[in-house]
Amino acid sequence: MNPAPFTIAIASGKGGTGKTMLATNLAALLCHLHPTLLVDMDVEEPNDHIFIKGTTVSITDQHRMIPAWIESKCTLCGECTKICNFNAIIQLNTTITVFEQLCHSCYACSELCEASALPMKPHKIGVIRDIATNGLRFLEGRLEPCEEQPVPLIHKLHQLARKSYDYAPMHIYDCPPGTSCPLVAATQDADYVILVTEPTPFGLNDIKLAVDTMHLLDKDFGVVINRDGIGDKNVEIFCLENGIQILEKIPYDRKIAEINARGELMINNPMIASKLQNIIHAMRQKA
């Protein structure tokens, strides 16, 4: 049996900090050392594929279960509308309407319906794409348009990563931005979380929110400051005052921006490669 992979979640309190840049380049560097799994868990707006090119192994539809009303069986007792905590079922005169996007697939209405008028049926929520390239395996989750709940698809990605890719000693999760439910779901299996921020007032505000979230989740974490030099030192001071490890500082540099804008990896840039190696060394110590 393989030892459990060491899972690193790359997260941020806000979008646009360089989370995807760090996740893709770390994965591309690590895969030269040993098999590595990269998972794009930002299912509402996945973009790791811009930087990671490879062969698509499979594309699989993903579903969650929702109730389907059978009019001929229904006694219109109204219990289902009382049971649902998410207002996903309403009764309009002699019709029961199920709002699929509001349903949380808890099965309560289906299990407690005495007439068996609400059997559960599959509802497509998105797809998972499996891509292979040069020692790196890449999973991308992509939510269906108009779907309002990314968390079920994030859970599907977790299940697939644990079940099929435990041979890879290192897993890297590119998480959704922010500090709401999708981030909590994406980091649930993480052994270590890297919070990416920037040295600006917005960056300081959002790193504080992200740090509070990590404390609530009882996660070991460190910080990478991206675009170092564009703002002030308040993020760095905040980390030092609170005993938060600063893993690296990536400078604000036009060449880095140009490479990133072209959708290219930066592991061939000596300065960036050196900083990535420092982060990998810190991760190996954690592992």
Side-chain angles (χ1 to χ4, degrees), residues 28-251:
L29 201 57
L30 278 168
C31 75
H32 293 299
L33 305 175
H34 49 65
T36 302
L37 175 68
L38 171 66
V39 186
D40 193 344
M41 293 201 172
D42 188 3
V43 299
E44 293 178 275
E45 194 173 0
N47 56 10
D48 288 14
H49 67 276
I50 296 172
F51 304 93
I52 303 297
K53 308 295 192 295
T55 302
T56 299
V57 177
S58 64
I59 300 176
T60 55
D61 291 343
Q62 303 298 315
H63 303 83
R64 62 185 178 89
M65 304 301 286
I66 61 167
W69 181 54
I70 300 179
E71 183 177 4
S72 60
K73 290 186 175 182
C74 183
T75 62
L76 297 173
C77 66
E79 284 302 311
C80 55
T81 63
K82 299 175 185 177
I83 291 166
C84 183
N85 287 328
F86 306 102
N87 299 312
I89 301 178
I90 63 170
Q91 182 176 347
L92 298 172
N93 197 9
T94 59
T95 301
I96 298 295
T97 299
V98 178
F99 294 100
E100 297 176 345
Q101 278 73 28
L102 295 179
C103 177
H104 281 57
S105 305
C106 70
Y107 280 73
C109 62
S110 181
E111 294 291 334
L112 297 175
C113 178
E114 294 184 0
S116 301
L118 289 166
M120 302 297 281
K121 67 172 184 178
H123 169 71
K124 184 179 177 181
I125 57 173
V127 299
I128 291 179
R129 194 158 61 116
D130 185 351
I131 299 168
T133 172
N134 299 328
L136 176 66
R137 209 59 179 257
F138 169 38
L139 297 177
E140 177 194 79
R142 187 173 292 270
L143 198 67
E144 283 287 287
C146 299
E147 279 298 310
E148 297 181 4
Q149 298 180 47
V151 171
L153 186 55
I154 292 171
H155 286 158
K156 298 281 188 181
L157 285 164
H158 276 296
Q159 293 166 9
L160 183 58
R162 286 194 302 263
K163 180 180 178 181
S164 302
Y165 301 96
D166 61 345
Y167 65 85
M170 197 76 77
H171 289 186
I172 296 178
Y173 294 165
D174 186 4
C175 300
T179 56
S180 58
C181 295
L183 171 74
V184 173
T187 57
Q188 68 180 27
D189 285 351
D191 298 300
Y192 190 83
V193 180
I194 298 176
L195 298 176
V196 186
T197 189
E198 56 191 19
T200 64
F202 282 120
L204 176 62
N205 177 74
D206 294 319
I207 193 66
K208 288 179 178 179
L209 296 174
V211 166
D212 288 344
T213 304
M214 293 302 107
H215 286 317
L216 287 171
L217 297 175
D218 195 25
K219 292 294 182 181
D220 192 11
F221 66 94
V223 168
V224 168
I225 300 176
N226 190 28
R227 303 189 190 97
D228 185 47
I230 64 169
D232 50 42
K233 295 292 183 182
N234 288 333
V235 169
E236 193 170 345
I237 292 169
F238 168 75
C239 291
L240 293 173
E241 287 179 346
N242 290 275
I244 299 168
Q245 183 181 8
I246 298 176
L247 299 168
E248 256 303 348
K249 293 186 287 184
I250 300 174

Side-chain angles (χ1 to χ4, degrees), residues 236-276:
E236 193 170 345
I237 292 169
F238 168 75
C239 291
L240 293 173
E241 287 179 346
N242 290 275
I244 299 168
Q245 183 181 8
I246 298 176
L247 299 168
E248 256 303 348
K249 293 186 287 184
I250 300 174
Y252 181 60
D253 185 275
R254 183 182 177 89
K255 290 181 180 179
I256 294 174
E258 289 175 351
I259 295 170
N260 202 51
R262 290 195 298 266
E264 299 174 359
L265 294 168
M266 288 179 277
I267 57 176
N268 294 323
N269 180 298
M271 184 268 291
I272 295 297
S274 174
K275 292 183 177 295
L276 292 172

